Amino acid sequence: MAPARDRRTGFSRRRQYGAFLAYVLAVAGALVGAALLVASRFNPPAFAAMRMAVASVTAPVSASAAWAIDGVVSVPDTIATYFFVHDENTRLRAELKRSEALLLRARTIAYDNRRLRALLAVRDRSADTVVTSRLVSSTASSGRRFALLNAGRAQGVEPGMPVRGPDGLIGRVVETGPAVARILLLTDAESIVPVRRTRDGLPALAVGRGDGMVDIRSVNTTNVRFATGDLFVTSGTGGLYAPGIPVARVVRTGNDSMPARTFARPDSLDFAIVQRAFLPLPPAPPAPRP
């Protein structure tokens, strides 16, 4: 049977010194406590001064300990906040991307609505509208300038009919199929349109250049002065185009022949209006009798 543990100090000096020191600290603590109790009872000002002196010594230690404890306690909150902010940032980025897509779609719809409203206003004012249809494609970068319209003979489209958009004249129909039509654009080198200047009625010709612009050339006169910004509209001469349709604006000052930029841009248009000729074509001569 194992002997019971001896709780006495015995001959171990370390245990003897430890016990002695504990007794001394206990007695000293009791004496200090008694002194403080007496001072607080019989001399409160002195007790208050001693208390503030002790507080002044221990305050920095307490502040440092409190700062360290707060730092340790805040570590989990900091980690949690980091992950929360990271997730929130990811969610906000995804939401911003969705919002940008919706905004782009809304702007596109608003732009299309404005153009369609302008086109409808033109169609409502014109009694000679044949059909309103979509421009399928256009040759905006080749030497010849044509466009394809998604309407043909089945919709009443015939060669020679003028085609316009909400901003101005586009060209004229040169070929038709059952459901499509080919349009010769104003900027084609084979296109010639009689026009007049809006500020004084000066007659001129809008001749295609084949590079996306037209030349405004004077008619039957010389030394005609063209100024930058001069506006030209169809004159009605020839009976094909109704008068007053916007055609082009001069981009440079000069004489006799100046480049101009068309108002209608077929490469950026979606829909166009096909109209009847301003003056009906004369009837075909009767066939000779045998």
Side-chain angles (χ1 to χ4, degrees):
M1 182 175 181
R5 181 175 297 179
D6 189 2
R7 296 182 179 278
R8 295 177 297 174
T9 59
F11 295 98
S12 175
R13 291 189 177 277
R14 181 179 297 177
R15 295 179 65 183
Q16 290 177 358
Y17 290 153
F20 176 73
L21 183 59
Y23 292 145
V24 171
L25 291 177
V27 173
L31 293 176
V32 172
L36 292 175
L37 182 61
V38 171
S40 64
R41 181 71 177 177
F42 297 101
N43 193 355
F47 176 74
M50 289 188 293
R51 181 172 58 189
M52 295 306 298
V54 173
S56 298
V57 174
T58 58
V61 179
S62 300
S64 300
W67 178 82
I69 293 172
D70 291 340
V72 173
V73 172
S74 64
V75 169
D77 294 337
T78 303
I79 296 174
T81 302
Y82 169 78
F83 285 107
F84 172 76
V85 171
H86 182 271
D87 295 341
E88 185 72 9
N89 190 24
T90 302
R91 185 184 66 81
L92 290 176
R93 286 179 182 274
E95 185 175 351
L96 179 61
K97 185 175 295 185
R98 291 193 299 270
S99 299
E100 289 177 350
L102 292 175
L103 180 60
L104 179 60
R105 184 178 179 185
R107 287 177 175 174
T108 303
I109 293 174
Y111 176 70
D112 290 341
N113 284 339
R114 289 196 299 270
R115 297 176 64 179
L116 289 174
R117 286 179 182 275
L119 197 63
L120 288 173
V122 172
R123 189 188 66 178
D124 292 340
R125 290 196 304 267
S126 302
D128 53 355
T129 298
V130 176
V131 67
T132 301
S133 186
R134 183 182 295 273
L135 285 174
V136 179
S137 62
S138 63
T139 55
S141 59
S142 64
R144 298 302 306 272
R145 300 301 171 106
F146 292 96
L148 194 65
L149 186 71
N150 191 23
R153 290 192 299 269
Q155 289 76 31
V157 180
E158 298 177 358
M161 288 184 171
V163 181
R164 64 171 300 178
D167 299 323
L169 188 65
I170 296 175
R172 71 177 188 273
V173 178
V174 291
E175 295 178 0
T176 58
V180 293
R182 197 177 188 206
I183 301 170
L184 181 71
L185 301 179
L186 287 178
T187 55
D188 187 84
E190 298 295 329
S191 173
I192 300 176
V193 178
V195 295
R196 61 177 177 82
R197 189 161 55 186
T198 56
R199 61 186 173 92
D200 57 4
L202 175 74
L205 295 176
V207 182
R209 294 163 50 103
D211 60 355
M213 299 180 68
V214 298
D215 281 330
I216 302 297
R217 301 176 183 178
S218 61
V219 178
N220 298 329
T221 55
T222 58
N223 296 325
V224 175
R225 185 72 173 174
F226 295 114
T228 302
D230 279 349
L231 304 180
F232 285 84
V233 299
T234 53
S235 63
T237 303
L240 178 60
Y241 305 102
I245 302 176
V247 176
R249 183 195 303 268
V250 174
V251 298
R252 190 166 65 244
T253 300
N255 296 330
D256 296 335
S257 180
M258 283 292 108
R261 192 176 304 278
T262 60
F263 288 103
R265 305 290 179 86
D267 55 341
S268 63
L269 288 174
D270 293 327
F271 291 89
I273 295 177
V274 180
Q275 296 178 324
R276 294 181 179 86
F278 174 53
L279 296 177
L281 296 176
R289 294 182 179 180

